[in-house]
Amino acid sequence: MIKKYVYGNPFPTDAVVKDIEKAEDKMPFFETDGYGGFTYNLAENDIVYGLGEQIRGINKRGWQYISWNYDNPNHHEDTHSLYGAHNFIIISGKSTFGVFFDYAGKIEFDIGYTQRSIMHIKAAKNDLAVYIITGKNEKDIVRQFRNIIGRSYIPPLWAFGYGQSRWGYKDEQDIRNVAKEYKSAGIPLDSIYLDIDYMERYKDFTVDKERFPDLEKLVQDMKSQGIHLVPIIDAGVKIEEGYDVYEEGVQHNYFCKNADGEDFVGAVWPGRVHFPDFLQPEARKWFGSKYSVLTDMGIEGFWNDMNEPAIFYTEDRLADTCAEIEKLTSGNMGINEYLTFTGMVAGLNGNIGDYDKFYHNVNGEMVKHSEVHNLYGMNMTRSAFEALQEICPEKRTLFFSRSSYIGAHRYGGIWQGDNKSWWSHILQSMQQLPALNMAGFLFTGSDTGGFGCDTTEDLMLRWLQYSLFTPLFRNHSADGTRRQELYRFDNVKAAAEMIKIRYSLIPYLYSEFLKSAMNDEMMFKPLAFDFPDDNMAKQVEDQLLLGNELMIAPIYKQNAQGRYVYLPEEMMLARMKSRNDYQTEILPKGHHYVDVSLDELVFFIRSKKAVPFDKTDESTSKADIHSLELLGYPDSSYELYSDNGYSPEPEDSLTVSTLYCAE
């Protein structure tokens, strides 16, 4: 059952797509203060799931989280905000229910941080809708919630292949070399990503003709090798006379305004920029139409970035900061002055005060950006998705974004942001997956190997062994860091085998993705969701159920040669060094130490189940469901969902078939 409670005058976020009548009774479970505050008394053993893309564990108790989309590349344990705002949680325990705080501005979640037994949620203003969802169990609550927020985005099949990316591929030859080296190493590759380097001075929908003299030919040459090029699009539009996107935006008032009604000026990669007003339907349609500049060259996928929106600085704050720094540095700079100096410089980027300085035109009314901040990235992705439905109506286009709000899951996926080459970020990524699935985000994954810092060969291999199970499977790194294309490592054979195993598992991963999207289910679940009476399962934070057949338990510690796992039921351990070289054994319910060498993959098949496995597939373009085998328990079966991989509606070509495992 779902009940909707309305406070004040909520801004329409479009997160919920089904009409839910406003309830007139008192909201259950929470005490409200009438000022945007909601308090719930937590029992000792209550678990709190959700909040989508956030730090810390699967159980969110014990910390304070702030829903405020923020360009933060340092995902430390003391972080409060990341790139997305996903205000849906499930409290499981004394009472089990879900709650969605539909609010576009800043909202804080103190989940047993100030007081262990108190959860306090505080919205910046008392203008929000709150949905209370009760059901048979956590999975039923998620299914109900997903039903009212709309079907999750389904990407083309090729998007499930392996992708190579780097900020720092400077020219066409870099791209061609990456493709050549992967082919020489015998490693399958479905996509190469273009970061900001391909643009002319970081201007959206432009191509640097010196470094990429014929992008259209490059696109076609790559396609002939089965490789898709996927360019980045940023939110800020460079201020430059003669630049058509800038001039059209100014002419038609498509940019956000400052308090004086002039186009707001911020700064990102190109320097001074304007921000498209994605809350205007006309501006969304205009900006989305610009993607045709690249689709006309054969591009079939995009990733949207810097759309929190990120702001490096505003001119007035920069001027004030420089003036203060001049004063600080004019004399002897002691520790207090030095800390003030470094704090002022660091405070330029993403300063929360800057988001109070510009406005959106919403049906003729000027709305302060800070009140709708968390909707910006969602509506940028919506802009692209809706436009491409008109530009390329016959096929799906790959989209994923950095910033998001619940509702953005209908238009594209997300990647989990600018992580680091840290072992802890394998675990952090894994712990975000169930919460993101709860909020509708199915097409997601981390930057394999880590984006920032320098990766190592063992970290890369262990990360591959985790992320080969995630729908988005992309190796991405920052300019200036160690190059981490797989062919650069000594043990390239082990890395290649991990990629080939991924391709062998795509029939299963794609099938489970379709089931999750079409049936409003989760692809990744905490163990407790399927084993609610198992107290040990409730405590496991480093293992996940994948679909209805698998459990994954990655290694995420340096130099580890194995790990402990907890099996809530008997399972089959699958140990693979390659897709054609594997062993299985049955392990009973309970605790086990499992040896895992650096060059092998270990995962678990649930009792009496099996997964489809393709021993020959090396590319999504060569997938053949008629060549599948089943890997798992004898006499088991698997219901396979498949389609043609590109039709906008999967039902148009959906095939459901049952595969049987021989004795």
Side-chain angles (χ1 to χ4, degrees):
M1 176 184 292
I2 302 176
K3 285 194 169 185
K4 175 183 178 181
Y5 298 87
V6 178
Y7 299 88
N9 185 29
F11 186 88
T13 66
D14 293 333
V16 174
V17 295
K18 293 201 172 180
D19 290 333
I20 307 293
E21 290 188 9
K22 175 182 174 182
E24 299 298 335
D25 60 325
K26 182 179 182 292
M27 187 172 77
F29 305 116
F30 289 91
E31 292 296 326
T32 62
D33 63 9
Y35 299 97
F38 302 82
T39 301
Y40 179 77
N41 293 316
L42 291 163
E44 179 62 28
N45 295 318
D46 280 355
I47 296 173
V48 180
Y49 299 104
L51 291 185
E53 186 182 42
Q54 266 291 2
I55 53 93
R56 300 214 170 198
I58 293 174
N59 183 356
K60 291 300 188 288
R61 282 193 73 163
W63 190 238
Q64 49 187 344
Y65 310 88
I66 301 174
S67 279
W68 179 264
N69 294 354
Y70 182 46
D71 174 17
N72 176 16
N74 300 308
H75 308 169
H76 297 125
E77 278 195 43
D78 62 351
T79 298
H80 300 288
S81 303
L82 288 177
Y83 309 95
H86 311 126
N87 307 329
F88 175 53
I89 58 175
I90 290 178
I91 294 91
S92 175
K94 176 186 64 175
S95 298
T96 297
F97 63 97
V99 55
F100 172 43
F101 295 89
D102 193 6
Y103 182 69
K106 181 180 178 182
I107 183 167
E108 301 178 20
F109 293 80
D110 182 331
I111 306 180
Y113 168 74
T114 302
Q115 292 179 263
R116 172 76 182 165
S117 61
I118 301 294
M119 176 165 62
H120 184 68
I121 293 92
K122 175 65 176 176
K125 297 178 71 174
N126 194 40
D127 293 313
L128 71 164
V130 182
Y131 296 79
I132 299 290
I133 308 170
T134 54
K136 294 180 292 185
N137 51 40
E138 293 89 348
K139 290 191 293 185
D140 181 49
I141 290 168
V142 170
R143 194 176 295 113
Q144 291 184 64
F145 178 64
R146 293 268 302 280
N147 180 258
I148 67 169
I149 61 175
R151 176 182 285 183
S152 298
Y153 161 80
I154 299 174
L157 175 62
W158 64 262
F160 284 76
Y162 176 69
Q164 179 60 55
S165 181
R166 183 174 174 84
W167 168 26
Y169 291 151
K170 301 297 185 185
D171 55 29
E172 176 181 323
Q173 194 56 49
D174 280 349
I175 303 300
R176 293 189 183 276
N177 286 341
V178 169
K180 177 184 175 182
E181 294 292 344
Y182 267 97
K183 185 175 181 179
S184 296
I187 305 176
L189 183 66
D190 261 82
S191 54
I192 298 176
Y193 289 78
L194 305 180
D195 210 312
I196 55 177
D197 313 273
Y198 82 94
M199 300 181 193
E200 178 193 329
R201 291 178 289 115
Y202 308 130
K203 295 188 295 184
D204 282 336
F205 311 115
T206 67
V207 177
D208 188 311
K209 295 297 185 181
E210 290 187 9
R211 290 181 289 165
F212 293 86
D214 193 342
L215 182 60
E216 184 171 2
K217 185 176 187 305
L218 179 63
V219 169
Q220 296 308 317
D221 288 350
M222 291 297 104
K223 278 188 182 179
S224 70
Q225 302 177 46
I227 297 172
H228 296 78
L229 295 188
V230 183
I232 196 171
I233 303 293
D234 285 341
V237 172
K238 181 176 176 61
I239 299 172
E240 180 178 281
E241 296 296 330
Y243 172 35
D244 62 334
V245 182
Y246 161 73
E247 292 188 340
E248 290 173 16
V250 170
Q251 178 183 354
H252 297 287
N253 283 316
Y254 288 151
F255 294 127
C256 294
K257 304 295 183 181
N258 63 21
D260 296 325
E262 300 171 343
D263 292 330
F264 173 76
V265 178
V268 282
W269 296 115
R272 299 170 70 249
V273 300
H274 294 323
F275 291 109
D277 186 356
F278 289 117
L279 270 62
Q280 287 187 50
E282 298 83 2
R284 280 201 304 271
K285 186 172 183 179
W286 161 74
F287 192 85
S289 70
K290 295 299 179 182
Y291 285 77
S292 64
V293 170
L294 293 162
T295 59
D296 287 348
M297 299 181 190
I299 295 293
E300 297 176 310
F302 300 90
W303 50 307
N304 287 347
D305 196 15
M306 306 296 288
N307 53 352
E308 291 72 31
I311 302 177
F312 290 169
Y313 62 86
T314 55
E315 291 183 320
D316 57 344
R317 189 176 302 279
L318 178 64
D320 292 344
T321 300
C322 289
E324 289 299 315
I325 287 175
E326 187 175 359
K327 294 178 185 177
L328 288 169
T329 57
S330 61
N332 178 45
M333 215 169 40
I335 182 62
N336 292 333
E337 291 82 6
Y338 173 75
L339 291 175
T340 301
F341 165 75
T342 56
M344 290 184 70
V345 174
L348 285 171
N349 183 33
N351 192 296
I352 197 167
D354 290 337
Y355 296 100
D356 280 328
K357 297 177 181 177
F358 63 103
Y359 296 78
H360 296 269
N361 182 349
V362 181
N363 299 321
E365 178 185 352
M366 301 310 291
V367 176
K368 187 180 291 187
H369 173 82
S370 58
E371 297 180 5
V372 292
H373 172 73
N374 292 334
L375 300 181
Y376 194 82
M378 164 185 169
N379 280 286
M380 180 182 179
T381 301
R382 178 180 181 179
S383 166
F385 176 82
E386 292 179 344
L388 268 295
Q389 283 186 313
E390 296 183 12
I391 295 168
C392 307
E394 74 286 353
K395 62 185 177 184
R396 304 173 212 161
T397 302
L398 170 62
F399 285 113
F400 58 92
S401 170
R402 192 170 74 177
S403 175
S404 60
Y405 183 80
I406 290 176
H409 71 285
R410 300 190 298 269
Y411 311 118
I414 60 173
W415 91 98
Q416 294 166 310
D418 295 341
N419 61 1
K420 302 285 190 183
S421 296
W422 297 343
W423 288 90
S424 61
H425 278 185
I426 299 178
L427 179 62
Q428 184 179 97
S429 170
M430 183 173 66
Q431 291 174 332
Q432 289 176 358
L433 291 175
L436 286 169
N437 280 195
M438 286 169 57
F441 294 94
L442 299 178
F443 190 73
T444 186
S446 63
D447 284 343
T448 298
F451 174 71
C453 303
D454 294 325
T455 198
T456 60
E457 181 173 309
D458 56 340
L459 175 59
M460 176 57 75
L461 284 170
R462 292 305 192 195
W463 211 313
L464 288 172
Q465 292 159 12
Y466 154 64
S467 58
L468 68 84
F469 290 105
T470 62
L472 174 58
F473 186 27
R474 180 179 74 150
N475 176 345
H476 183 43
S477 57
D479 197 12
T481 64
R482 179 182 183 178
R483 297 294 292 260
Q484 61 188 49
E485 295 86 2
L486 300 183
Y487 52 78
R488 297 182 183 275
F489 296 106
D490 289 340
N491 200 347
V492 63
K493 182 179 184 298
E497 294 301 336
M498 292 304 111
I499 303 301
K500 291 174 183 177
I501 292 171
R502 159 62 172 222
Y503 277 79
S504 293
L505 286 169
I506 283 178
Y508 176 71
L509 299 174
Y510 188 66
S511 174
E512 291 303 302
F513 189 99
L514 288 177
K515 291 176 186 177
S516 300
M518 299 174 73
N519 302 322
D520 296 326
E521 295 175 345
M522 296 169 65
M523 190 171 174
F524 293 93
K525 294 170 289 185
L527 270 59
F529 275 33
D530 277 14
F531 300 93
D533 298 324
D534 187 328
N535 287 327
M536 185 62 217
K538 294 178 181 179
Q539 300 176 51
V540 174
E541 293 262 328
D542 60 356
Q543 302 169 208
L544 292 178
L545 300 174
L546 168 50
N548 293 313
E549 287 74 25
L550 291 188
M551 185 186 78
I552 61 172
I555 288 180
Y556 54 91
K557 294 183 179 179
Q558 185 173 351
N559 297 319
Q561 298 179 32
R563 58 160 291 171
Y564 285 94
V565 296
Y566 174 69
L567 306 185
E569 64 179 358
E570 175 197 287
M571 292 188 186
M572 176 184 286
L573 181 151
R575 183 186 300 276
M576 293 186 168
K577 285 185 178 283
S578 77
R579 60 188 176 189
N580 296 308
D581 177 13
Y582 58 86
Q583 299 173 334
T584 62
E585 63 176 307
I586 304 297
L587 297 180
K589 174 182 176 179
H591 297 271
H592 301 270
Y593 181 82
V594 178
D595 293 307
V596 187
S597 65
L598 194 58
D599 62 349
E600 68 181 354
L601 175 71
V602 166
F603 59 93
F604 300 84
I605 301 172
R606 295 181 60 181
S607 181
K608 311 304 179 187
K609 297 184 183 297
V611 297
F613 192 72
D614 190 336
K615 288 188 178 181
T616 60
D617 190 20
E618 294 187 5
S619 169
T620 56
S621 63
K622 298 177 182 178
D624 180 7
I625 64 171
H626 302 293
S627 66
L628 300 180
E629 300 178 8
L630 278 192
L631 175 63
Y633 282 82
D635 294 328
S636 57
S637 62
Y638 178 76
E639 186 179 64
L640 179 75
Y641 275 38
S642 60
D643 65 4
N644 62 19
Y646 63 85
S647 292
E649 297 297 333
E651 290 90 346
D652 293 344
S653 62
L654 183 68
T655 299
V656 179
S657 53
T658 303
L659 307 178
Y660 296 93
C661 193
E663 294 186 17

